[in-house]
Amino acid sequence: MFVSKAETAAQRVEQEIRKAIVTLEFLPGTPLSEKELAERFGVSRQPVREALIALARAELVETRPRRGTRVSRISADRMRQQRFVRESLEVAVVRRACESFDPDVRRRIDAILDAQEVHAEAHAHYLFQREDQAFHAALAEGAGYPTAWEALTDIKAHLDRVCHLTLPVPETLPLLVRQHRAVMAAIDARDADAAEAAMRAHLAEILQALPEVEKTYGYLFMRPELDR
């Protein structure tokens, strides 16, 4: 299938803006100028416009008449609903993984977990987050359902914004590594109930942290007085 240069540029710009939103380089509420983004990424306005349309579909940005485009604020209610969807899919994945798991992917996961240990010790938050995504993607691939993780791309982007606020807490990264290893230990033992319990405990972290994060970073969350 032919892919035009404009489409390729739009996809690249979308990924760069998405990364900036997820890592909070572009904070919730930040205005986004097509002109400034085009200059930043060295493209015309058309790829930027297409990228923003795609990000609006993912609800990461919003455009209002006479207000322009800005980064969407974090919605605690949306977070809870999206976490529920993610948990439903990932629990199904680990239960299936206990029935059959690709041995090559299993070996790759060992390398991913080792990399997570290194990044946790170095407090390298962004690199850890990248390996976290690799871990969950590999889980779905090893279980034979890679599209399960692909289906969560937009949902995870919203959750990752809050995760990014919790990663600097010293004990967070080592805890996540231990939880990942617990999931894999249950899969290796072919214990579906233990794998499900480990995954639910892992994904519960974000909701447990949400009230304190919302209290500390209230200006990043959706509020009537901020969205007038």
Side-chain angles (χ1 to χ4, degrees):
M1 180 174 140
F2 174 75
V3 179
S4 72
K5 290 183 179 179
E7 288 174 327
T8 301
Q11 291 167 356
R12 176 176 67 82
V13 171
E14 178 191 344
Q15 290 305 312
E16 290 295 331
I17 297 174
R18 180 185 290 265
K19 175 183 172 183
I21 291 172
V22 168
T23 60
L24 302 177
E25 178 186 352
F26 291 170
L27 290 173
T30 299
L32 297 176
S33 161
E34 285 186 9
K35 179 177 181 295
E36 292 175 1
L37 290 170
E39 291 173 352
R40 172 175 172 144
F41 299 117
V43 297
S44 67
R45 289 194 182 191
Q46 184 59 32
V48 173
R49 191 171 298 119
E50 292 176 19
L52 292 177
I53 289 171
L55 292 166
R57 285 197 295 267
E59 298 184 319
L60 289 169
V61 306
E62 58 183 15
T63 302
R64 294 186 179 184
R66 298 182 298 279
R67 295 283 299 274
T69 300
R70 64 181 180 177
V71 179
S72 299
R73 294 191 185 277
I74 299 169
S75 166
D77 181 62
R78 180 191 293 152
M79 289 265 314
R80 294 183 185 94
Q81 295 190 46
Q82 291 173 332
R83 207 279 313 203
F84 174 82
V85 173
R86 180 179 175 183
E87 182 181 277
S88 299
L89 274 177
E90 293 224 64
V91 162
V93 164
V94 296
R95 293 194 72 90
R96 185 54 63 96
C98 289
E99 299 173 12
S100 174
F101 203 81
D102 186 306
D104 291 333
V105 177
R106 179 65 187 86
R107 285 189 288 273
R108 193 187 336 142
I109 286 177
D110 281 336
I112 290 170
L113 293 175
D114 289 343
Q116 288 180 1
E117 294 272 11
V118 171
H119 297 323
E121 290 177 8
H123 305 291
H125 307 139
Y126 177 71
L127 293 176
F128 183 92
Q129 204 165 34
R130 188 174 66 185
E131 294 298 334
D132 177 77
Q133 292 186 36
F135 170 75
H136 288 275
L139 270 182
E141 181 185 352
Y145 292 90
T147 55
W149 179 249
E150 294 168 12
L152 293 172
T153 299
D154 289 338
I155 285 177
K156 191 172 189 302
H158 286 277
L159 298 174
D160 279 349
R161 291 203 287 176
V162 170
C163 287
H164 199 76
L165 293 170
T166 67
L167 292 182
V169 178
E171 61 269 22
T172 298
L173 299 186
L175 172 62
L176 295 178
V177 177
R178 290 196 299 273
Q179 291 174 341
H180 288 165
R181 292 195 182 280
V183 169
M184 293 315 302
I187 290 173
D188 290 342
R190 297 293 187 262
D191 188 336
D193 290 340
E196 175 177 340
M199 179 58 76
R200 288 190 188 278
H202 176 54
L203 296 180
E205 288 296 323
I206 192 166
L207 287 191
Q208 291 173 3
L210 185 57
E212 186 61 31
V213 169
E214 190 174 6
K215 179 181 176 182
T216 304
Y217 300 98
Y219 62 96
L220 301 179
F221 283 74
M222 197 173 287
R223 295 282 191 279
E225 65 272 18
L226 296 175
D227 296 308
R228 289 175 185 148

